[in-house]
Amino acid sequence: MRAIALPSGWKLFAALAGLTLIMTAVVLAAHPLGSDGLRSAIRATARSSFALFLLAFLASSLVALVPGPASRRMLRERRFLGLAFAFSHTVHGVLIYRYAQQFPELFWAGRTVTSSLPGSIGYLFLLMLTLTSFKAPMRLLGGRAWKALHSTGMWVLAGVFCLSFYNRIPMGGWYPLAFALMFAAMALKLTAKLAHYQRRSGAALS
Ligand code: HEM
């Protein structure tokens, strides 16, 4: 029996973007028109973004720590996983905009411009990472600057996820687990980086 070939490249992006839109439509349709549906869809897209972000964030570390066909495939598809994350988070942003427009009093309850700052900085990085994942801006930026921007941007986004989940830990539910997942992913990435530097300095010494 032949295994089902999973899509790759732009087809993978299209499949993941399509799934994000279907999920959003289902969540909105499952609620009567109003703030509850929008908030649920905002939460759902934050979660799809989180899953896609984790895959892109960890791809290189998994190849270093657990090399194999699956981790190598993840690394090959990293650009498209990252773009699918950007798509899902754009939907998150559009829903937030609609929520703020339609229900300003609910949107601003317990929220200030300052408390929205980390998320807004996250969106700024998301925009820069997305724009520079295409060939022409990539070339314009140059290899070193591109690497620095993408590494910084991914850590900033990881920090925003971490903070978003951390702030919700008192609400219980899945938030402590989500925070632990993000925290463990950051630790794993640092471990992979450390192993990489140790291997390099070992090779340089020998
Ligand atoms: C890169 C930037 C951002 C990230 C990584 C992010 C992440 C998250 C996460 C993890 C959640 C919780 C999902 C859950 O319930 O499981 C969430 C929900 C939410 N976010 Fe974002 N967010 C970002 C930007 C923003 C911005 C700029 C705003 C508004 C100014 C915002 C407004 C909201 C709202 C209203 C919710 C739903 C709250 C609720 O109903 O509990 N987010 N976001």
Side-chain angles (χ1 to χ4, degrees):
M1 206 172 74
R2 278 182 56 181
I4 303 168
L6 287 170
S8 66
W10 284 110
K11 280 191 183 155
L12 175 66
F13 169 80
L16 292 169
L19 282 175
T20 303
L21 290 178
I22 292 169
M23 175 198 72
T24 307
V26 168
V27 172
L28 287 173
H31 293 80
L33 275 184
S35 65
D36 276 0
L38 273 175
R39 271 187 94 122
S40 298
I42 290 172
R43 280 197 295 272
T45 47
R47 291 173 196 187
S48 55
S49 297
F50 179 53
L52 293 166
F53 174 79
L54 276 186
L55 295 177
F57 184 68
L58 289 178
S60 63
S61 312
L62 289 179
V63 167
L65 296 173
V66 273
S71 56
R72 274 195 283 273
R73 172 124 207 255
M74 239 167 96
L75 187 59
R76 269 202 313 278
E77 304 295 349
R78 182 170 60 175
R79 174 169 177 240
F80 298 97
L81 292 168
L83 287 171
F85 156 63
F87 182 87
S88 169
H89 227 54
T90 303
V91 180
H92 184 69
V94 170
L95 292 165
I96 289 167
Y97 178 74
R98 287 214 58 175
Y99 181 56
Q101 288 266 307
Q102 288 187 349
F103 307 99
E105 65 298 340
L106 292 177
F107 176 77
W108 287 108
R111 178 181 295 281
T112 60
V113 172
T114 319
S115 69
S116 305
L117 202 62
S120 308
I121 294 172
Y123 268 110
L124 196 68
F125 272 97
L126 183 66
L127 181 69
M128 290 193 287
L129 296 195
T130 307
L131 291 177
T132 55
S133 59
F134 294 92
K135 280 220 174 82
M138 206 186 273
R139 250 186 256 129
L140 212 66
L141 206 60
R144 278 175 84 100
W146 186 89
K147 257 194 141 155
L149 173 67
H150 278 251
S151 168
T152 310
M154 290 304 268
W155 277 102
V156 168
L157 288 163
V160 179
F161 272 115
C162 219
L163 190 67
S164 306
F165 289 131
Y166 176 79
N167 289 336
R168 288 175 171 85
I169 287 178
M171 292 159 74
W174 99 293
Y175 294 113
L177 172 70
F179 171 74
L181 260 176
M182 189 65 252
F183 196 81
M186 288 161 102
L188 192 82
K189 200 169 174 72
L190 285 176
T191 309
K193 265 202 186 316
L194 204 69
H196 175 73
Y197 286 127
Q198 276 182 344
R199 232 177 283 138
R200 259 199 5 197
S201 57
L205 279 174
S206 59

